[in-house]
Amino acid sequence: SWHVVQVASGSERIVDEKLEEHGFGRYNPKILTLRTVPRKELSIRQRKAGVIVRRPKLVPMLPGYFFVHFDLQQDAWRDLFR
């Protein structure tokens, strides 16, 4: 069955790799958002014009949470979530 597992926000990529390594089914929905480019990354012309530049970025829909498929009767999942 599917369970919701809370992880440290920002560590979703590492957790995803570990779950895949151990053969667990996992789901971490992502959404495409527009993030503002920091001013220091803009060109001088863009800074002078006061332009706001946004770039698309794929981010977790539920930061810090994963849906994981495992059987509660098996003990193997316990070692992974310590």
Side-chain angles (χ1 to χ4, degrees):
S1 59
W2 288 93
H3 303 274
V4 177
V5 177
Q6 185 177 16
V7 299
S9 187
S11 67
E12 288 89 354
R13 185 181 55 82
I14 296 167
V15 171
D16 189 46
E17 290 171 1
K18 290 291 182 188
L19 290 170
E20 182 180 24
E21 190 178 291
H22 285 84
F24 287 99
R26 70 242 185 261
Y27 178 62
N28 185 13
K30 296 184 180 4
I31 56 174
L32 194 62
T33 62
L34 292 176
R35 298 291 174 138
T36 302
V37 176
R39 187 169 162 76
K40 64 183 179 183
E41 293 180 19
L42 298 177
S43 69
I44 293 171
R45 181 180 289 173
Q46 289 171 325
R47 280 186 237 151
K48 284 183 180 178
V51 174
I52 296 174
V53 178
R54 293 192 171 101
R55 291 191 186 131
K57 183 173 182 179
L58 202 57
V59 296
M61 183 184 292
L62 304 168
Y65 293 94
F66 255 87
F67 295 95
V68 183
H69 187 262
F70 59 88
D71 185 4
L72 284 174
Q73 302 305 318
Q74 295 179 352
D75 291 331
W77 67 269
R78 293 174 194 238
D79 296 331
L80 188 62
F81 298 114
R82 286 189 182 171

